[in-house]
Amino acid sequence: MYTIEMAYAHMRQLQELANRSRAHQPAAAKRLDKARKPLTGKKR
């Protein structure tokens, strides 16, 4: 059975892997930050 805890653990693993791969690509991280900034204002 696939529980929410298992899904959360998998999501955390993917997030850590994404953060590690992004650390090796500074230019990609800057582009991603610029793309995210407009989205944060719309949530309010």
Side-chain angles (χ1 to χ4, degrees):
M1 190 169 87
Y2 195 71
T3 64
I4 289 181
E5 288 83 7
M6 291 167 69
Y8 185 75
H10 187 245
M11 184 187 73
R12 290 294 302 234
Q13 286 178 336
L14 291 175
Q15 189 68 46
E16 288 174 16
L17 196 133
N19 287 339
R20 267 186 269 133
S21 65
R22 203 167 47 177
H24 295 294
Q25 301 168 359
K30 287 178 184 174
R31 282 197 303 270
L32 217 148
D33 289 340
K34 286 179 184 175
R36 279 187 180 179
K37 284 180 184 176
L39 294 174
T40 56
K42 291 181 182 178
K43 288 182 181 178
R44 292 181 188 170

